[in-house]
Amino acid sequence: MSSVTSHISISLDGFVAGPNQSVDNPIGEGGMRLHQWAFATDSWRRQQGLDGGERNPDSEVVDDVVRGVGAYIMGRKMFGGGDGPWDETWTGWWGEDPPYHTPVFVLTHHSRDSLAMQGGTIFNFVTDGIGSALEQARAAAGDTVVSIAGGASTVQQYLAAGLLDELYLHIVPVILGAGERLLEDVGDPTLQPVSVTVSPTVTHVKYRVVRGTHSQVR
């Protein structure tokens, strides 16, 4: 069975998005500061079809988080397009060739036909909950990894349900002060550090989610 992982950038005070999120500013005021470490790397730029960028320890992390991923799950807010029934002219933030290149399962309350993009990305819209999305993603991924891409609410749901095997936090030394916290309403999971990578701009800590009395066993 494929493992289920998630990686996400987080501020020192626990936020993965800043305050006053909107359709035009989906990660809130100051939220882009959490991702500058990745934008500077050659790995991230290559994944976006761009040249240049730095080769450094952060580059290795960017390569690591996409290695072996066979399917993604994300929330409606991460895919974008606003709330309510779909405006089907909206095809995501990423243009005609999104960086996923695998099936992506979008959690939503509103049905929509699957959306095939360039480069092998197919967005599938799931209206019957996180369990169904995971079942479909695992069927698509086979023996490869299912990655919970975000946002915070989606990661929280999978962690609280005991369905996450690995959580990889990219801890950025900024203070946002307000916004969307990651580790709220997730119960009391046991997180075991398995690796730490340090650079001048971010600390990457990979945790294994340990099954036991503090997390729901599948």
Side-chain angles (χ1 to χ4, degrees):
M1 183 180 296
S2 47
S3 62
V4 184
T5 71
S6 183
H7 78 96
I8 194 164
S9 292
I10 188 169
S11 69
L12 281 179
D13 51 348
F15 296 101
V16 296
N20 301 316
Q21 295 175 71
S22 67
V23 172
D24 295 326
N25 189 13
I27 55 176
E29 296 171 5
M32 291 297 287
R33 298 168 66 195
L34 300 178
H35 304 281
Q36 295 301 323
W37 68 269
F39 299 157
T41 65
D42 61 344
S43 298
W44 184 87
R45 293 183 63 82
R46 184 176 65 253
Q47 291 172 20
Q48 312 304 311
L50 303 172
D51 296 326
E54 302 174 13
R55 191 68 192 170
N56 55 29
D58 297 332
S59 302
E60 301 293 336
V61 170
V62 173
D63 286 336
D64 183 35
V65 296
V66 300
R67 187 176 295 117
V69 175
Y72 291 88
I73 297 172
M74 66 175 61
R76 167 81 185 257
K77 187 185 293 185
M78 183 168 178
F79 181 78
D83 298 326
W86 287 102
D87 172 2
E88 297 200 8
T89 64
W90 179 261
T91 58
W93 306 102
W94 307 277
E96 293 300 314
D97 187 6
Y100 300 102
H101 308 301
T102 60
V104 179
F105 297 86
V106 181
L107 295 165
T108 176
H109 296 295
H110 299 273
S111 61
R112 181 175 178 178
D113 291 339
S114 296
L115 181 63
M117 307 293 287
Q118 294 178 16
T121 300
I122 302 176
F123 292 110
N124 305 277
F125 301 92
V126 181
T127 58
D128 49 352
I130 65 170
S132 175
L134 181 55
E135 183 179 354
Q136 294 178 60
R138 277 187 157 145
D143 293 331
T144 59
V145 172
V146 173
S147 178
I148 311 300
S153 175
T154 301
V155 178
Q156 288 165 357
Q157 291 178 68
Y158 280 97
L159 183 57
L163 297 174
L164 199 63
D165 299 306
E166 181 181 280
L167 180 62
Y168 203 171
L169 297 182
H170 314 297
I171 304 166
V172 184
V174 301
I175 305 294
L176 292 182
E180 191 168 15
R181 287 192 184 277
L182 178 65
L183 298 176
E184 283 191 341
D185 301 320
V186 296
D188 185 18
T190 300
L191 303 179
Q192 180 183 79
V194 294
S195 70
V196 179
T197 303
V198 178
S199 81
T201 55
V202 58
T203 301
H204 311 276
V205 184
K206 183 183 293 187
Y207 295 94
R208 180 180 298 113
V209 183
V210 181
R211 311 296 176 202
T213 58
H214 296 299
S215 61
Q216 179 179 332
V217 179
R218 279 178 285 183

